[in-house]
Amino acid sequence: MSEFKKLVFSGVQPTGNLHLGNYLGAIRKFVALQDGNDCVYCVVDMHALTAQLVHDDLRGQIRSIAAAFIASGIDPVRNIVFNQSAVPQHAELAWIFNCVARIGWMNRMTQFKDKAGKDREQASLGLYAYPSLMAADILVYRGTHVPVGDDQKQHLELARDIAMKFNLDYAEHIRKAGVGIDITVGDEPVHAYFPMVEPLIDGPAPRVMSLRDGSKKMSKSDPSDLSRINLMDDADAISKKIRKAKTDPDGLPSEIDGLKGRPEADNLVGIYAALADKSKIDVLAEFGGQQFSVFKPALVDLAVNTLSPITGEMRRLMEDTTHIDAILRDGGERARARAEVTMNEVRDIVGFLR
Ligand code: TYM
């Protein structure tokens, strides 16, 4: 038995302002993972067309996600940072995956149901096939580990299903092409071309909730700007939003169990813990028994101190975009070269003439 080489892949859509949920659920983890791992981080611009076909300033949005990556500390030399459309092999593999994936699997995707809303007949075919492109994003590099927020869990399970079905359906061809690896999935030995991707979701803030409603995810599309902290918010805005964040009348508990049934308190403690690189238990050890009137100002300080350098650097990078454009161009070239190696093997496996 051998193992796939560890490769970290993740992507962020260039749609709307990045918020604290994107930062804590994804980008902060990207930064931590770059030490000692081969990492590929992608601005998924092709995905941005699935829910909204025409964008006012897609190029600007792509650059601003790349700027957020760099400003947060991702090194574009050690890692690959690029935009998805620069590597057409994603779309090519997605087509093959569209033929592997079953309609029944796609019908179970809760994010499609949420995003399509009531008038599902009017949703784009792209939105429906979105998770198949997402699987291709990862697997075109034979990616093994994917840092994401909790909302992407189902999509990554689908990526595993697609990889597994491809491996089983093409087992003979993979063997003939001599490009597979023997792995075990559960107890089953499988001769695999694609790895079973592992989601990296853990941490104190896998699902950052709205500051106005602890039962709703913090989201770019929430009509209330008070519900989220945007990465481009200044210190005053951050302070105002945290001070106005919904809480209950009780103080903070000393034990983690005391957060049960208190989604708003749980959310703020999780945010503090993630920003401070601590566990929720440690945060409660420090603030247990205190009122929100004490905890909120501490959270404001921590959030401002963590986010303002990133915001400042993003602004600086966005003033003259030649640097960001050069990073994306270089990342695109390196990503294309890697993706082409995979696609040449995939074309052989499926039997295309080349
Ligand atoms: P996107 O652009 O919606 O979000 C980017 C990342 O931010 C995470 N996230 C959150 N984490 C915690 N709390 C929240 N409230 C919150 N909101 C968003 C998301 O989980 C995500 O990690 N489908 C993906 C993009 C994608 C992708 C991929 C990701 C396309 N291809 C391949 C990984 C691998 C998406 O729409 O993320």
Side-chain angles (χ1 to χ4, degrees), residues 286-300:
E286 195 179 336
F287 289 98
Q290 307 266 23
Q291 294 302 315
F292 281 103
S293 54
V294 174
F295 181 66
K296 279 185 170 179
L299 180 56
V300 169

Side-chain angles (χ1 to χ4, degrees), residues 10-11 13 21-22 25 130 134 137 148-149 151-152 206 208 217-218:
S10 199
Q13 287 201 61
N22 301 125
Y130 180 116
M134 184 165 156
D137 295 337
V148 281
D151 60 340
Q152 297 301 316
V208 177
K217 192 178 73 166
M218 184 177 285

Side-chain angles (χ1 to χ4, degrees), residues 9-13 19 21-22 25-26 44 47 111 115 130 134 137-138 146-152 155-156 205-209 217-220:
F9 181 95
S10 199
V12 176
Q13 287 201 61
H19 53 69
N22 301 125
V44 291
H47 277 102
Q111 204 160 81
K115 288 198 176 170
Y130 180 116
M134 184 165 156
D137 295 337
I138 305 161
V146 185
V148 281
D150 173 75
D151 60 340
Q152 297 301 316
H155 288 158
L156 295 182
R207 189 177 188 85
V208 177
M209 307 309 273
K217 192 178 73 166
M218 184 177 285
S219 141
K220 293 168 188 167

Side-chain angles (χ1 to χ4, degrees), residues 72-203:
S72 301
I74 292 169
D75 176 353
V77 176
R78 268 196 292 156
N79 309 288
I80 295 183
V81 173
F82 73 108
N83 58 310
Q84 186 185 29
S85 62
V87 186
Q89 287 84 351
H90 289 231
E92 186 183 357
L93 185 58
W95 177 257
I96 294 172
F97 285 173
N98 285 347
C99 300
V100 173
R102 306 288 95 183
I103 286 182
W105 302 357
M106 309 311 280
N107 284 342
R108 284 196 284 276
M109 294 295 114
T110 55
Q111 204 160 81
F112 172 74
K113 291 181 200 166
D114 290 347
K115 288 198 176 170
K118 286 204 182 75
D119 200 358
R120 211 179 284 180
E121 298 284 306
Q122 282 304 316
S124 72
L125 185 53
L127 187 67
Y128 191 62
Y130 180 116
S132 167
L133 177 59
M134 184 165 156
D137 295 337
I138 305 161
L139 293 173
V140 83
Y141 306 98
R142 298 168 98 186
T144 56
H145 292 77
V146 185
V148 281
D150 173 75
D151 60 340
Q152 297 301 316
K153 200 170 169 181
Q154 196 187 29
H155 288 158
L156 295 182
E157 280 160 13
L158 185 90
R160 291 171 68 101
D161 290 343
I162 290 177
M164 189 64 170
K165 183 162 160 55
F166 183 97
N167 289 336
L168 295 177
D169 287 355
Y170 286 111
E172 276 304 298
H173 301 228
I174 294 168
R175 233 174 258 287
K176 259 192 222 139
V179 289
I181 290 182
D182 288 319
I183 58 169
T184 37
V185 181
D187 291 333
E188 289 290 310
V190 179
H191 190 64
Y193 182 70
F194 287 120
M196 298 290 108
V197 296
E198 267 184 50
L200 302 174
I201 298 179
D202 290 350

